[in-house]
Amino acid sequence: MKEEIQMDMVQIAQKLLTNPTFLDNSTLLVNELRKLYEKALLFHFLEKNHPELLRKTPTSIHQEPAPSYQEPSPTRQNDWENIRSHAPENEVVFEEKNSHTKIHTEASKTLNDRISSKELQIGLNDRIAFVTHLFDGDTQAYNKAIAMINNLHSPDECWEFIFQKIKPSYNNWQGKEAYEERFFHIITKHFG
């Protein structure tokens, strides 16, 4: 088993080093590197937890060269499940990421919870319009300004911040009065 895993790692590495296609296609490169990483993790796990599985087995004198690509055999695919089944219960070997958890917790908030939030509520269309017209396309500056406004405690602090810091940085929003009015309406509603 040790030689098989090592050979697989060498084959993947050789494929990466000798084929320039992987340097031109990041998706292919990431997939091959993922395979190499998984093999290395498997080898490391077996070495630490099941060294008896990695002991050398007698091999014949003549070995055929390994092909450059091999389809995984059903036994290889089952190796992973077999190894995981022997892993101690209290030890996390690999932890599966679950992107649905975050989505579920945010979705579980009621509409009332989201609306009554202390943060400024700006819709996507307004956000795009404000970034484009009031902040000259600078999303980072927009996000910083909104974060500052969310941390202010009174309408007076907010207006002072906008009139002293934000507007002067963007030519006092000359010719952008409609967007400025909408921005002020949302802020007034927030502090109202």
Side-chain angles (χ1 to χ4, degrees), residues 9-179:
M9 289 190 298
V10 168
Q11 287 175 353
I12 294 169
Q14 284 177 337
K15 192 180 345 176
L16 289 172
L17 292 172
T18 59
N19 192 340
T21 304
F22 292 106
L23 297 177
D24 295 333
N25 187 328
S26 63
T27 303
L28 289 175
L29 179 64
V30 167
N31 286 336
E32 289 303 310
L33 288 172
R34 180 188 48 77
K35 289 177 192 176
L36 181 61
Y37 180 70
E38 287 173 355
K39 293 289 182 183
L41 284 176
L42 175 62
F43 184 76
H44 178 73
F45 173 78
L46 290 173
E47 188 177 62
K48 296 292 180 195
N49 298 301
H50 298 285
E52 70 279 1
L53 294 175
L54 293 178
R55 289 198 183 96
K56 283 194 170 195
T57 57
T59 58
S60 63
I61 293 172
H62 174 71
Q63 289 184 336
E64 298 208 10
S68 61
Y69 176 76
Q70 289 181 331
E71 284 291 325
S73 67
T75 56
R76 277 191 187 168
Q77 290 173 346
N78 292 332
D79 282 347
W80 181 246
E81 285 80 21
N82 185 24
I83 291 166
R84 287 224 25 163
S85 69
H86 289 90
E89 290 295 321
N90 59 353
E91 180 181 332
V92 176
V93 178
F94 292 97
E95 187 173 308
E96 184 177 333
K97 288 188 176 181
N98 188 352
S99 61
H100 300 294
T101 305
K102 183 178 179 185
I103 293 168
H104 178 69
T105 55
E106 288 195 12
S108 65
K109 290 182 179 178
T110 66
L111 180 60
N112 193 34
D113 291 338
R114 286 184 267 159
I115 292 174
S116 65
S117 169
K118 302 227 182 227
E119 293 184 359
L120 201 54
Q121 301 296 315
I122 300 177
L124 180 60
N125 290 339
D126 285 329
R127 174 187 164 86
I128 292 169
F130 298 154
V131 168
T132 303
H133 299 287
L134 299 181
F135 291 86
D136 297 335
D138 188 348
T139 305
Q140 189 174 11
Y142 168 82
N143 289 337
K144 285 181 183 179
I146 297 303
M148 281 295 296
I149 291 170
N150 283 330
N151 288 323
L152 298 174
H153 301 291
S154 71
D156 292 335
E157 288 178 321
C158 181
W159 298 124
E160 183 179 340
F161 172 69
I162 291 171
F163 287 110
Q164 300 295 320
K165 302 285 183 188
I166 297 175
K167 279 185 72 172
S169 299
Y170 297 97
N171 197 23
N172 287 311
W173 294 338
Q174 294 286 328
K176 300 175 182 181
E177 288 78 16
Y179 300 103

